Amino acid sequence: MRLGEHRTNVDDIFDYLHDEILSLRLKPGEKISEAEIAARFGVSRQPVRDAFSRLANLDLLLIRPQRATEVKRFSAREIEKSRFVRAAVESEVLRRAAKLCDAEGAKLLDAALADQQRAIEEVDVDGFGALDYDFHKRLCLIAGVDYAFEVITSEKIKVDRLCILGLSKEDRMPQLVADHLAIAAAVKANDAEKAVELGMLHLSRLDDTITRIAHINAHYFEPALD
């Protein structure tokens, strides 16, 4: 929250539910009561509806008239769409970042990687999640397309819950840092094609996890359309 901004009941409810959904404390398909959330926060139903609407816009809630609101199940088609969009955007970000990266850009990446390594050493799981996003944000800044991070974030958030169902964050952190180190090295060397190749490898690591989760936890996914 920036200086001068004031939090509202909607913000508090949104943040609470957002965290519950992404952490899988609220499971895909689980129903959420508007009345229960209003009572929990001691507010009327209107701010709850507004928070629900914001979460629905992020594709995290399914709101249906005259039916219970529920946590959005995974959609194989939406996952495929999200991966396609993110791959296209991040490929261009990496190409531009590699071409434009200078000494200042290298310092930005080195600082981000040092923070990530420190998070591993301190087993700071929650902090590492934020640093993961920060690394991609810095690449966008170096590429001169800071607005691209909004697209990456909106797509990344759709599959973050799948990451939790796969390997634990503790198990994934070393691999993520190794990928980030390799990507940063290519960007700092101004090797655009290598940076893109490594970036796409980084994104592909979730493929096997998605397939495995869809098999083991099929009820977390929307039924396939014939």
Side-chain angles (χ1 to χ4, degrees), residues 138-153:
R138 293 186 187 211
L139 287 170
C140 292
L141 291 172
I142 293 168
V145 288
D146 58 296
Y147 47 81
F149 183 65
E150 296 176 13
V151 179
I152 292 170
T153 299

PDB file of all heavy atoms in Angstrom, residues 138-153:
ATOM      1  N   ARG A 138      12.020  -7.249 -12.292  1.00  0.00           N
ATOM      2  CA  ARG A 138      13.274  -6.572 -12.639  1.00  0.00           C
ATOM      3  C   ARG A 138      13.657  -6.819 -14.100  1.00  0.00           C
ATOM      4  O   ARG A 138      14.194  -5.928 -14.758  1.00  0.00           O
ATOM      5  CB  ARG A 138      14.388  -7.026 -11.698  1.00  0.00           C
ATOM      6  CG  ARG A 138      14.166  -6.559 -10.264  1.00  0.00           C
ATOM      7  CD  ARG A 138      15.334  -6.883  -9.351  1.00  0.00           C
ATOM      8  NE  ARG A 138      15.002  -6.561  -7.961  1.00  0.00           N
ATOM      9  CZ  ARG A 138      15.874  -6.177  -7.058  1.00  0.00           C
ATOM     10  NH1 ARG A 138      17.159  -6.054  -7.375  1.00  0.00           N
ATOM     11  NH2 ARG A 138      15.492  -5.912  -5.826  1.00  0.00           N
ATOM     12  N   LEU A 139      13.372  -8.001 -14.593  1.00  0.00           N
ATOM     13  CA  LEU A 139      13.626  -8.276 -16.006  1.00  0.00           C
ATOM     14  C   LEU A 139      12.793  -7.346 -16.895  1.00  0.00           C
ATOM     15  O   LEU A 139      13.269  -6.835 -17.904  1.00  0.00           O
ATOM     16  CB  LEU A 139      13.317  -9.735 -16.330  1.00  0.00           C
ATOM     17  CG  LEU A 139      14.323 -10.768 -15.812  1.00  0.00           C
ATOM     18  CD1 LEU A 139      13.761 -12.178 -15.985  1.00  0.00           C
ATOM     19  CD2 LEU A 139      15.663 -10.643 -16.554  1.00  0.00           C
ATOM     20  N   CYS A 140      11.548  -7.134 -16.480  1.00  0.00           N
ATOM     21  CA  CYS A 140      10.674  -6.224 -17.239  1.00  0.00           C
ATOM     22  C   CYS A 140      11.212  -4.791 -17.194  1.00  0.00           C
ATOM     23  O   CYS A 140      11.168  -4.072 -18.200  1.00  0.00           O
ATOM     24  CB  CYS A 140       9.251  -6.263 -16.692  1.00  0.00           C
ATOM     25  SG  CYS A 140       8.387  -7.835 -16.964  1.00  0.00           S
ATOM     26  N   LEU A 141      11.715  -4.372 -16.041  1.00  0.00           N
ATOM     27  CA  LEU A 141      12.274  -3.030 -15.904  1.00  0.00           C
ATOM     28  C   LEU A 141      13.508  -2.867 -16.795  1.00  0.00           C
ATOM     29  O   LEU A 141      13.670  -1.840 -17.468  1.00  0.00           O
ATOM     30  CB  LEU A 141      12.640  -2.760 -14.444  1.00  0.00           C
ATOM     31  CG  LEU A 141      11.478  -2.612 -13.466  1.00  0.00           C
ATOM     32  CD1 LEU A 141      11.990  -2.539 -12.032  1.00  0.00           C
ATOM     33  CD2 LEU A 141      10.646  -1.369 -13.788  1.00  0.00           C
ATOM     34  N   ILE A 142      14.381  -3.868 -16.796  1.00  0.00           N
ATOM     35  CA  ILE A 142      15.587  -3.818 -17.627  1.00  0.00           C
ATOM     36  C   ILE A 142      15.204  -3.774 -19.101  1.00  0.00           C
ATOM     37  O   ILE A 142      15.839  -3.077 -19.902  1.00  0.00           O
ATOM     38  CB  ILE A 142      16.487  -5.036 -17.336  1.00  0.00           C
ATOM     39  CG1 ILE A 142      17.049  -4.952 -15.909  1.00  0.00           C
ATOM     40  CG2 ILE A 142      17.635  -5.134 -18.349  1.00  0.00           C
ATOM     41  CD1 ILE A 142      17.692  -6.227 -15.428  1.00  0.00           C
ATOM     42  N   ALA A 143      14.135  -4.499 -19.450  1.00  0.00           N
ATOM     43  CA  ALA A 143      13.680  -4.537 -20.847  1.00  0.00           C
ATOM     44  C   ALA A 143      12.970  -3.257 -21.258  1.00  0.00           C
ATOM     45  O   ALA A 143      12.695  -3.045 -22.440  1.00  0.00           O
ATOM     46  CB  ALA A 143      12.748  -5.726 -21.048  1.00  0.00           C
ATOM     47  N   GLY A 144      12.670  -2.401 -20.285  1.00  0.00           N
ATOM     48  CA  GLY A 144      11.966  -1.154 -20.598  1.00  0.00           C
ATOM     49  C   GLY A 144      10.488  -1.348 -20.840  1.00  0.00           C
ATOM     50  O   GLY A 144       9.845  -0.524 -21.496  1.00  0.00           O
ATOM     51  N   VAL A 145       9.947  -2.467 -20.340  1.00  0.00           N
ATOM     52  CA  VAL A 145       8.514  -2.748 -20.509  1.00  0.00           C
ATOM     53  C   VAL A 145       7.913  -3.124 -19.153  1.00  0.00           C
ATOM     54  O   VAL A 145       7.402  -4.231 -18.972  1.00  0.00           O
ATOM     55  CB  VAL A 145       8.283  -3.876 -21.554  1.00  0.00           C
ATOM     56  CG1 VAL A 145       8.567  -3.386 -22.959  1.00  0.00           C
ATOM     57  CG2 VAL A 145       9.148  -5.105 -21.229  1.00  0.00           C
ATOM     58  N   ASP A 146       7.989  -2.211 -18.208  1.00  0.00           N
ATOM     59  CA  ASP A 146       7.509  -2.508 -16.861  1.00  0.00           C
ATOM     60  C   ASP A 146       6.047  -2.945 -16.847  1.00  0.00           C
ATOM     61  O   ASP A 146       5.631  -3.730 -15.998  1.00  0.00           O
ATOM     62  CB  ASP A 146       7.702  -1.286 -15.961  1.00  0.00           C
ATOM     63  CG  ASP A 146       6.990  -0.056 -16.492  1.00  0.00           C
ATOM     64  OD1 ASP A 146       7.367   0.412 -17.584  1.00  0.00           O
ATOM     65  OD2 ASP A 146       6.072   0.441 -15.818  1.00  0.00           O
ATOM     66  N   TYR A 147       5.253  -2.464 -17.828  1.00  0.00           N
ATOM     67  CA  TYR A 147       3.838  -2.826 -17.903  1.00  0.00           C
ATOM     68  C   TYR A 147       3.636  -4.309 -18.207  1.00  0.00           C
ATOM     69  O   TYR A 147       2.578  -4.875 -17.910  1.00  0.00           O
ATOM     70  CB  TYR A 147       3.124  -1.987 -18.971  1.00  0.00           C
ATOM     71  CG  TYR A 147       3.868  -1.901 -20.283  1.00  0.00           C
ATOM     72  CD1 TYR A 147       3.803  -2.923 -21.223  1.00  0.00           C
ATOM     73  CD2 TYR A 147       4.651  -0.790 -20.582  1.00  0.00           C
ATOM     74  CE1 TYR A 147       4.495  -2.842 -22.423  1.00  0.00           C
ATOM     75  CE2 TYR A 147       5.349  -0.696 -21.767  1.00  0.00           C
ATOM     76  CZ  TYR A 147       5.265  -1.733 -22.684  1.00  0.00           C
ATOM     77  OH  TYR A 147       5.965  -1.658 -23.876  1.00  0.00           O
ATOM     78  N   ALA A 148       4.647  -4.962 -18.778  1.00  0.00           N
ATOM     79  CA  ALA A 148       4.520  -6.384 -19.086  1.00  0.00           C
ATOM     80  C   ALA A 148       4.404  -7.219 -17.823  1.00  0.00           C
ATOM     81  O   ALA A 148       3.845  -8.321 -17.839  1.00  0.00           O
ATOM     82  CB  ALA A 148       5.720  -6.855 -19.909  1.00  0.00           C
ATOM     83  N   PHE A 149       4.912  -6.687 -16.707  1.00  0.00           N
ATOM     84  CA  PHE A 149       4.859  -7.440 -15.459  1.00  0.00           C
ATOM     85  C   PHE A 149       3.420  -7.650 -15.004  1.00  0.00           C
ATOM     86  O   PHE A 149       3.110  -8.664 -14.372  1.00  0.00           O
ATOM     87  CB  PHE A 149       5.661  -6.720 -14.370  1.00  0.00           C
ATOM     88  CG  PHE A 149       5.710  -7.470 -13.068  1.00  0.00           C
ATOM     89  CD1 PHE A 149       6.357  -8.694 -12.980  1.00  0.00           C
ATOM     90  CD2 PHE A 149       5.101  -6.960 -11.922  1.00  0.00           C
ATOM     91  CE1 PHE A 149       6.394  -9.399 -11.788  1.00  0.00           C
ATOM     92  CE2 PHE A 149       5.149  -7.653 -10.722  1.00  0.00           C
ATOM     93  CZ  PHE A 149       5.799  -8.876 -10.662  1.00  0.00           C
ATOM     94  N   GLU A 150       2.540  -6.716 -15.328  1.00  0.00           N
ATOM     95  CA  GLU A 150       1.129  -6.879 -14.968  1.00  0.00           C
ATOM     96  C   GLU A 150       0.543  -8.105 -15.648  1.00  0.00           C
ATOM     97  O   GLU A 150      -0.221  -8.865 -15.044  1.00  0.00           O
ATOM     98  CB  GLU A 150       0.337  -5.628 -15.359  1.00  0.00           C
ATOM     99  CG  GLU A 150       0.761  -4.363 -14.614  1.00  0.00           C
ATOM    100  CD  GLU A 150       0.007  -3.140 -15.104  1.00  0.00           C
ATOM    101  OE1 GLU A 150      -1.005  -3.308 -15.830  1.00  0.00           O
ATOM    102  OE2 GLU A 150       0.412  -2.021 -14.764  1.00  0.00           O
ATOM    103  N   VAL A 151       0.909  -8.313 -16.915  1.00  0.00           N
ATOM    104  CA  VAL A 151       0.416  -9.473 -17.659  1.00  0.00           C
ATOM    105  C   VAL A 151       1.006 -10.755 -17.081  1.00  0.00           C
ATOM    106  O   VAL A 151       0.296 -11.743 -16.856  1.00  0.00           O
ATOM    107  CB  VAL A 151       0.787  -9.357 -19.158  1.00  0.00           C
ATOM    108  CG1 VAL A 151       0.286 -10.586 -19.924  1.00  0.00           C
ATOM    109  CG2 VAL A 151       0.220  -8.089 -19.758  1.00  0.00           C
ATOM    110  N   ILE A 152       2.312 -10.737 -16.825  1.00  0.00           N
ATOM    111  CA  ILE A 152       2.980 -11.912 -16.270  1.00  0.00           C
ATOM    112  C   ILE A 152       2.370 -12.292 -14.929  1.00  0.00           C
ATOM    113  O   ILE A 152       2.096 -13.461 -14.655  1.00  0.00           O
ATOM    114  CB  ILE A 152       4.491 -11.648 -16.115  1.00  0.00           C
ATOM    115  CG1 ILE A 152       5.147 -11.526 -17.490  1.00  0.00           C
ATOM    116  CG2 ILE A 152       5.164 -12.761 -15.310  1.00  0.00           C
ATOM    117  CD1 ILE A 152       6.572 -11.026 -17.459  1.00  0.00           C
ATOM    118  N   THR A 153       2.117 -11.291 -14.087  1.00  0.00           N
ATOM    119  CA  THR A 153       1.536 -11.545 -12.768  1.00  0.00           C
ATOM    120  C   THR A 153       0.149 -12.152 -12.881  1.00  0.00           C
ATOM    121  O   THR A 153      -0.176 -13.133 -12.196  1.00  0.00           O
ATOM    122  CB  THR A 153       1.456 -10.244 -11.954  1.00  0.00           C
ATOM    123  OG1 THR A 153       2.772  -9.730 -11.761  1.00  0.00           O
ATOM    124  CG2 THR A 153       0.827 -10.488 -10.591  1.00  0.00           C
TER     125      THR A 153
END
